[in-house]
Amino acid sequence: MNCEHSKEILIRYGELTLKGENKKDFINQLRRNIELYIPKEELKVEYDRAFCKYSVKNLKSLKYIFGISSYSIVYKTSTNLDDIEKLVIEVAKENSFNSFAINSRRHNKNYPLNSSQLNMHFGGIILSNFSDKKVNLTNADLTIYIEIRDKYTYVFSNYINGLGGMPVSSSGRVLHLISGGIDSPVAANLLQKRGLKVAFLNFITPPHTDEKTTQKIDDIISLLTKYQGSSTLFQINYTKIMNYIGLVSNQKYKITLMRRSFYRIAQKIAEKYNIKALSNGENLAQVASQTLESIYTISEVSNLPIFRPLLTFDKNETIKIANDIKTMDISIQKACETCELFAPKFPVTKPNREEVKKLEEELEKLNQLEDEVINEIIIKKFDII
Ligand code: ATP
Ligand code: MG
């Protein structure tokens, strides 16, 4: 549009039911998050809307920010009725349409026309400037939105869905057990959606796991970092513990013992970094190690809450999200996974706490080895590029 009107992006917030302090915190966190992507001087945050300069880069960034319900590319003019008329006509000219609707809102209740009067007025303007156009209030080809605020008016004809959810970090932090599989990356993204900033914990067992395994983890975390600005990965070389657990007298319990060990280590790392919850990509009854008895026996070792966002998901629901967030293509690449390498032929599906404790007594060096691998932890940082 050859327009003297400036082009901006109007941003709407999610969770509009929030009130008082909660709403203030929500908006402040959202502002900090948007500023990770969009320069401060290009952004203006108000109590019910944010505005930023239009650029392709800014537009792309908004796709990754939780807490935004929708956004629109808008043209800005004054609140003067003549100016708005001119702009409405220009926006109509930009589009090809037969039927149209006008959707007006006035934020300033002192504005001389109310929203239905505004709709009537601008509907009349379109009808008198364009021949053969019809009003259609239920299924129009073109809807022109007019939002009159205190100082400016915004006119637009597009609505882009945002991610919804809560701003990342508004709910605190979680330590997430991540593998190169399909599930745990999706679970991480759902936790981000509820406002958690996710720190990652991954166990590797070189030389059984190789470059490809760690590359997959790095690639997955790079993708997930787009949703939270920066990430930390804690990586543990678990080989000597895996070999040690392999000596246990009841081989069916190897995976259960390893999982308990994972969560003891996770708990210690979380405590050190003041993180108040753990999480994983588990799903009830999808694989042998994810039965209720197994979850019961494993979660005993940690007194932190363990979030399992995928607990009730069908596999195809998980895969749909994995495709949406583009982790699927990475997850399906072939690489050696720690758990798969270690799984006995017939793992116990209903482990019990008494048996597992007996076996842990056999493995008397287990706690000491866990402390050792924590001391040798690898810490990697990720940023949005
Ligand atoms: P995923 O697709 O996430 O690997 P899965 O259905 O294959 O899950 P498992 O491999 O049994 O199931 O793993 C269950 C959960 O345990 C994972 O979702 C992840 O949270 C955690 N986990 C598994 N392997 C590792 C690992 N090497 N490092 C850290 N966490 C792991
Ligand atoms: Mg797996």
Side-chain angles (χ1 to χ4, degrees), residues 191-205:
L191 294 161
Q192 291 173 319
K193 182 174 185 185
R194 269 349 271 174
L196 285 160
K197 177 144 186 189
V198 179
F200 298 93
L201 172 61
N202 173 239
F203 296 91
I204 48 171
T205 49

Side-chain angles (χ1 to χ4, degrees), residues 26 29 33 37 64-67 164-176 185-200 224-231 274-280 305-309:
F26 177 105
Q29 186 62 56
N33 293 357
Y37 304 79
Y64 295 101
I65 303 177
F66 284 112
M166 303 289 288
V168 163
S169 295
S170 62
S171 302
R173 290 179 301 150
V174 65
L175 182 63
H176 185 65
V186 170
N189 191 248
L190 292 171
L191 294 161
Q192 291 173 319
K193 182 174 185 185
R194 269 349 271 174
L196 285 160
K197 177 144 186 189
V198 179
F200 298 93
L224 293 167
T225 300
K226 290 186 179 182
Y227 297 87
Q228 58 180 22
S230 62
S231 302
N274 198 20
I275 298 175
K276 297 192 181 66
L278 306 176
S279 55
N280 62 36
I306 303 177
F307 298 148
R308 296 176 177 82

Side-chain angles (χ1 to χ4, degrees), residues 176-187 201-205 209 213 217 234 236 255 258-259 262-263 279-283 286-290 310 315 318 331 336-340:
H176 185 65
L177 278 79
I178 187 117
S179 75
I182 296 170
D183 295 13
S184 43
V186 170
L201 172 61
N202 173 239
F203 296 91
I204 48 171
T205 49
T209 56
T213 316
I217 297 293
F234 300 102
I236 295 273
I255 288 281
M258 182 175 76
R259 287 277 153 86
F262 277 6
Y263 287 92
S279 55
N280 62 36
E282 282 176 347
N283 177 285
Q286 218 164 64
V287 295
S289 62
Q290 296 174 20
L310 300 185
K315 194 74 184 181
T318 305
S331 296
C336 294
E337 297 280 344
T338 303
C339 294
E340 287 161 16

Side-chain angles (χ1 to χ4, degrees), residues 175-181 184-185 199-206 209-218 220-221 232-239 262 265-266 269 279 336-339 373 376-380 382:
L175 182 63
H176 185 65
L177 278 79
I178 187 117
S179 75
S184 43
F200 298 93
L201 172 61
N202 173 239
F203 296 91
I204 48 171
T205 49
T209 56
D210 59 10
E211 287 275 292
K212 184 76 205 168
T213 316
T214 48
Q215 188 59 49
K216 272 179 74 173
I217 297 293
D218 287 359
I220 286 169
I221 295 177
T232 304
L233 165 63
F234 300 102
Q235 205 154 40
I236 295 273
N237 182 334
Y238 195 73
T239 310
F262 277 6
I265 292 171
I269 297 168
S279 55
C336 294
E337 297 280 344
T338 303
C339 294
V373 297
E376 294 156 10
I377 197 165
I378 305 158
I379 301 180
K380 293 190 197 170
F382 295 74

Side-chain angles (χ1 to χ4, degrees), residues 47-221:
Y47 73 100
D48 62 339
R49 296 273 186 269
F51 298 88
C52 74
K53 191 180 136 189
Y54 173 82
S55 71
V56 174
K57 183 174 162 288
N58 288 352
L59 195 63
K60 272 193 186 153
S61 304
L62 298 176
K63 282 202 300 202
Y64 295 101
I65 303 177
F66 284 112
I68 293 176
S69 64
S70 67
Y71 48 100
S72 299
I73 303 162
V74 301
Y75 293 104
K76 178 166 127 178
T77 189
S78 76
T79 56
N80 175 298
L81 211 53
D82 289 344
D83 288 344
I84 306 173
E85 280 175 17
K86 275 191 216 134
L87 183 52
V88 166
I89 292 168
E90 284 186 64
V91 169
K93 275 187 192 155
E94 253 190 354
N95 292 277
S96 74
F97 64 100
N98 291 315
S99 60
F100 76 97
I102 304 283
N103 185 328
S104 313
R105 278 172 78 115
R106 49 164 198 168
H107 280 253
N108 176 356
K109 297 296 171 219
N110 298 324
Y111 199 76
L113 299 179
N114 67 26
S115 51
S116 52
Q117 289 166 328
L118 287 164
N119 288 343
M120 297 281 285
H121 177 80
F122 290 109
I125 296 286
I126 298 288
L127 289 172
S128 58
N129 279 271
F130 298 82
S131 52
D132 301 338
K133 307 295 184 200
K134 288 197 180 66
V135 175
N136 182 335
L137 296 182
T138 50
N139 189 21
D141 301 335
L142 172 70
T143 300
I144 298 180
Y145 300 88
I146 301 164
E147 199 163 312
I148 303 179
R149 296 177 67 88
D150 290 343
K151 272 196 181 148
Y152 300 108
T153 302
Y154 300 87
V155 179
F156 54 98
S157 58
N158 62 90
Y159 240 91
I160 305 163
N161 283 331
L163 288 178
M166 303 289 288
V168 163
S169 295
S170 62
S171 302
R173 290 179 301 150
V174 65
L175 182 63
H176 185 65
L177 278 79
I178 187 117
S179 75
I182 296 170
D183 295 13
S184 43
V186 170
N189 191 248
L190 292 171
L191 294 161
Q192 291 173 319
K193 182 174 185 185
R194 269 349 271 174
L196 285 160
K197 177 144 186 189
V198 179
F200 298 93
L201 172 61
N202 173 239
F203 296 91
I204 48 171
T205 49
H208 313 293
T209 56
D210 59 10
E211 287 275 292
K212 184 76 205 168
T213 316
T214 48
Q215 188 59 49
K216 272 179 74 173
I217 297 293
D218 287 359
D219 291 348
I220 286 169
I221 295 177

